[in-house]
Amino acid sequence: MMRYHWPGNVRELHNVIERAMILSNSPDLVIQVPHLAEPQVRLTLNETARDQILRVLEQTGWRIRGADGAAAILGIKPTTLEARMAKLGIARPRRDSKMP
């Protein structure tokens, strides 16, 4: 805690300690100093959308249309999903021609 600059001064320190007390589940107080806390992964909206679309496509076996298709699960029209896939560079993986 001494290594952190505390730009908010006493108020920020008070808030961090209060938050730790509220979230504590043990007799030991664990304080996460904002600057020293683990970095969070930050994704753009397009990266997040791409990841979600890919997860759903893999879940549905790359089926886009129909009641069990990716578009229905995502709550969008199949044409909208196809347009977003094109925009985000998502294409169905090709099957290996050497496999039986």
Side-chain angles (χ1 to χ4, degrees):
M1 287 178 58
M2 291 176 56
R3 291 182 287 165
Y4 185 61
H5 176 61
W6 296 105
N9 252 340
V10 176
R11 286 188 188 132
E12 185 177 4
L13 175 61
H14 178 268
N15 290 338
V16 168
I17 292 172
E18 185 176 52
R19 176 176 169 78
M21 290 173 62
I22 291 169
L23 297 176
S24 179
N25 293 332
S26 70
D28 297 322
L29 187 60
V30 178
I31 298 174
Q32 290 208 355
V33 180
H35 174 260
L36 303 175
E38 292 183 27
Q40 295 180 344
V41 176
R42 295 180 185 223
L43 298 175
T44 66
L45 183 58
N46 282 342
E47 290 169 332
T48 303
R50 187 176 201 284
D51 288 348
Q52 179 66 10
I53 290 169
L54 283 169
R55 272 195 298 271
V56 173
L57 285 168
E58 289 171 4
Q59 174 187 333
T60 62
W62 286 81
R63 182 177 176 179
I64 294 174
R65 297 172 184 278
D68 296 327
I73 292 170
L74 292 168
I76 58 177
K77 294 180 181 179
T79 52
T80 302
L81 176 56
E82 290 166 342
R84 286 190 189 168
M85 288 172 61
K87 177 183 174 187
L88 298 170
I90 299 173
R92 184 180 187 139
R94 293 183 179 215
R95 295 182 184 169
D96 189 355
S97 59
K98 296 179 183 178
M99 294 190 74

